Amino acid sequence: MAYTTFSFDSYSFDIITQKLELKYSIDETLRFTEEFIFKVSPVSYNTAALDRACQLLFFIAGVSYYKTYAPKNISVNMGEIDEKLAQFLSKTYQRGLREFFYQNNIPITTDITFPINHIEELPLLHTATKPGMLIAVGGGKDSIVSYELAKKSSLPIKTWSLGHKNQLEPLVTIMAPDQHIWVERTIDKKLINRTLPDALNGHIPISAIFAAASSIICILTGTQDAVMSNEQSANEPTLYVDNEPVNHQYSKSAEFEQDYQSILEHLFGETIRYYSLLRPYFEAKIVQIFSENYYEKYKAVFSSCNRAFTQNSNSIYWCGDCPKCAFAYLALFCFLPEEKVNTLFKGKNLLIDPNLTTTYKKLLGITEDGKPFECVGEIKESRVLMNIAKDKISLLNFGNYSIPKGFDWQNKMPNNIPRDILEKIAL
């Protein structure tokens, strides 16, 4: 079915219930509603700044509904967009939906253009924040390492999660931050139940939604820094189509991070900051840090398996079948005794599971269809890790591959972390 226009209809924030309601429509026929509830004891803040942060989440979260039919036109019935914000939103949608385009046989460079309805530059809105860190907790090893590193800063630390309270509460209990904030998100049932005829489905830049939600929490709690746990490995495209990159992890990449930092500075100055504490590290280095320092503390309460965090899941586990499990097993296997790693996967060694042979070949970059569309390490670090694994299991053989000269996954890479934070933590 051909639709022509996706509309950003309205948003509203209730200061009593802290519920943010977002409304969208397509051709004034299909209507969608999404809700966020921020369970926070708010401090003093600039209400105009909060309204602008709500607008930012309103615009970014609309990607879930835009993609149902990907109409050519976008209209904005509420909210203000100047030229810089329009460019940011257009790029975030376009780059963040390239995997979706690819898998739905749509040209990956398809333009997505946000309209400008505020000709002059939007006025700067400062809000009352103090030095401190708000760390997103997703249940995996990365956010655990971020949290443990952040504790070295002596700054106040809060943590937050978007849904999945049943899975994450045991982890948060062990972390014991100064405060944890549970944010509830309710997606429109038409998306969950897939009741839209001929609607398209596919990956969205979900971490961009997390970024916008974190900015709202920063304002409500008076915290300056929203801290993510995205690593250097997220920068590698999953594949190329006609020399154009398609990156499953685009909204985790340093490029998106820099763009979002720039738009925050444009809208709020330095009163809200956003960065990843793990950006200098490759995924393999993060696993090494976790294995050597934090595995015993968190082994029963963490998981990097996406299937443990689906809409219908209420417990934390490792499926042992997906690419994320395969990569996590490979990396952990290099730094921990086999029996410890196997306990996470019901006693199974994934490296010798014949059902995962093709997956490992994709991780090593020796198949024609590129890496898995998942949040996994770079091809070259998978190759280094596999060589380490071969020293422990000599019979491993997934094919021929080479390791690029000069690659060292232990090297720290350029990052976007503020200098004052680097000085406090000494990464």
Side-chain angles (χ1 to χ4, degrees):
M1 186 176 295
Y3 291 98
T4 62
T5 304
F6 179 80
S7 298
F8 291 86
D9 289 336
S10 67
Y11 68 93
S12 61
F13 183 80
D14 189 311
I15 60 173
I16 304 299
T17 63
Q18 295 180 0
K19 181 171 76 172
L20 174 63
E21 187 175 72
L22 313 175
K23 291 184 176 293
Y24 312 96
S25 65
I26 297 179
D27 284 1
E28 299 184 353
T29 301
L30 297 177
R31 299 191 181 278
F32 308 97
T33 300
E34 179 160 319
E35 296 177 353
F36 290 81
I37 299 178
F38 299 87
K39 299 184 177 181
V40 182
S41 297
V43 299
S44 177
Y45 58 82
N46 181 336
T47 55
L50 176 64
D51 181 73
R52 180 173 288 173
C54 289
Q55 285 187 45
L56 191 55
L57 180 54
F58 173 49
F59 293 135
I60 293 176
V63 69
S64 298
Y65 306 96
Y66 167 85
K67 75 171 175 61
T68 55
Y69 295 98
K72 182 178 180 179
N73 303 308
I74 291 177
S75 70
V76 176
N77 300 327
M78 187 175 182
E80 297 177 321
I81 300 179
D82 65 5
E83 182 178 3
K84 187 175 180 65
L85 181 55
Q87 290 174 350
F88 166 76
L89 292 170
S90 298
K91 181 180 178 182
T92 298
Y93 271 55
Q94 208 292 311
R95 296 294 182 91
L97 287 175
R98 283 192 171 185
E99 176 184 337
F100 162 80
F101 289 148
Y102 174 76
Q103 294 185 331
N104 285 283
N105 297 312
I106 300 171
I108 66 163
T109 56
T110 297
D111 285 335
I112 301 176
T113 304
F114 274 73
I116 298 170
N117 62 7
H118 196 281
I119 303 302
E120 298 180 353
E121 188 173 287
L122 288 168
L124 197 62
L125 296 176
H126 291 108
T127 188
T129 57
K130 297 179 180 179
M133 294 186 184
L134 174 72
I135 300 177
V137 173
K141 61 195 178 313
D142 296 345
S143 55
I144 290 172
V145 173
S146 282
Y147 176 74
E148 293 290 344
L149 290 176
K151 285 170 27 177
K152 300 177 182 180
S153 71
S154 75
L155 291 170
I157 297 175
K158 301 178 180 68
T159 54
W160 75 283
S161 301
L162 185 61
H164 308 299
K165 184 174 183 180
N166 289 338
Q167 294 99 318
L168 296 176
E169 202 158 32
L171 170 60
V172 172
T173 299
I174 292 177
M175 281 181 160
D178 298 330
Q179 180 185 0
H180 185 82
I181 296 149
W182 300 102
V183 179
E184 295 180 1
R185 179 190 181 199
T186 303
I187 300 171
D188 193 288
K189 290 183 178 179
K190 287 187 282 296
L191 259 61
I192 296 174
N193 298 332
R194 297 188 180 182
T195 57
L196 299 172
D198 302 320
L200 303 175
N201 195 25
H203 181 70
I204 62 167
I206 185 66
S207 292
I209 295 176
F210 296 159
S214 72
S215 298
I216 292 174
I217 303 171
C218 281
I219 293 174
L220 291 173
T221 62
T223 305
Q224 184 179 22
D225 292 357
V227 180
M228 304 302 285
S229 302
N230 303 322
E231 72 292 331
Q232 188 70 207
S233 308
N235 296 335
E236 182 180 59
T238 307
L239 53 76
Y240 286 86
V241 177
D242 296 330
N243 295 320
E244 288 286 342
V246 178
N247 188 356
H248 173 81
Q249 302 189 76
Y250 173 74
S251 57
K252 289 186 175 182
S253 70
E255 182 177 2
F256 171 80
E257 184 175 305
Q258 290 166 351
D259 288 347
Y260 193 70
Q261 287 174 331
S262 179
I263 206 67
L264 286 181
E265 186 174 0
H266 174 65
L267 299 175
F268 306 105
E270 286 288 314
T271 55
I272 307 175
R273 303 191 301 191
Y274 174 88
Y275 54 88
S276 171
L277 208 52
L278 303 185
R279 185 63 67 192
Y281 298 126
F282 283 95
E283 184 70 25
K285 183 62 178 178
I286 297 168
V287 176
Q288 182 181 18
I289 294 170
F290 175 78
S291 299
E292 294 176 354
N293 299 281
Y294 312 121
Y295 174 80
E296 291 298 331
K297 181 177 179 181
Y298 293 104
K299 61 185 178 183
V301 294
F302 87 105
S303 175
S304 299
C305 176
N306 284 341
R307 296 180 186 178
F309 299 97
T310 58
Q311 292 284 334
N312 299 322
S313 176
N314 287 306
S315 62
I316 203 161
Y317 64 91
W318 299 79
C319 75
D321 299 317
C322 70
K324 285 200 73 174
C325 282
F327 178 81
Y329 185 95
L330 170 62
L332 291 166
F333 183 81
C334 292
F335 304 111
L336 290 169
E338 179 180 354
E339 59 271 16
K340 287 190 176 183
V341 187
N342 289 358
T343 58
L344 300 174
F345 298 90
K346 301 178 181 178
K348 187 168 63 172
N349 183 324
L350 303 193
L351 290 168
I352 58 176
D353 182 351
N355 295 321
L356 290 172
T357 298
T358 300
T359 298
Y360 278 116
K361 287 182 177 181
K362 288 184 176 183
L363 290 170
L364 294 168
I366 53 179
T367 61
E368 294 182 357
D369 52 351
K371 285 198 313 182
F373 280 108
E374 267 291 4
C375 298
V376 294
E378 289 196 10
I379 288 172
K380 51 194 174 187
E381 64 182 308
S382 291
R383 292 180 177 185
V384 173
L385 290 169
M386 188 61 75
N387 277 7
I388 296 173
K390 284 180 177 180
D391 289 337
K392 300 173 75 171
I393 304 179
S394 59
L395 296 178
L396 290 178
N397 183 14
F398 293 104
N400 297 321
Y401 56 88
S402 61
I403 300 173
K405 293 182 179 180
F407 173 70
D408 181 0
W409 53 262
Q410 300 193 71
N411 279 346
K412 295 177 182 176
M413 305 296 286
N415 62 80
N416 309 311
I417 303 172
R419 183 177 296 275
D420 59 303
I421 299 299
L422 284 173
E423 291 174 349
K424 288 179 181 295
I425 298 179
L427 289 174

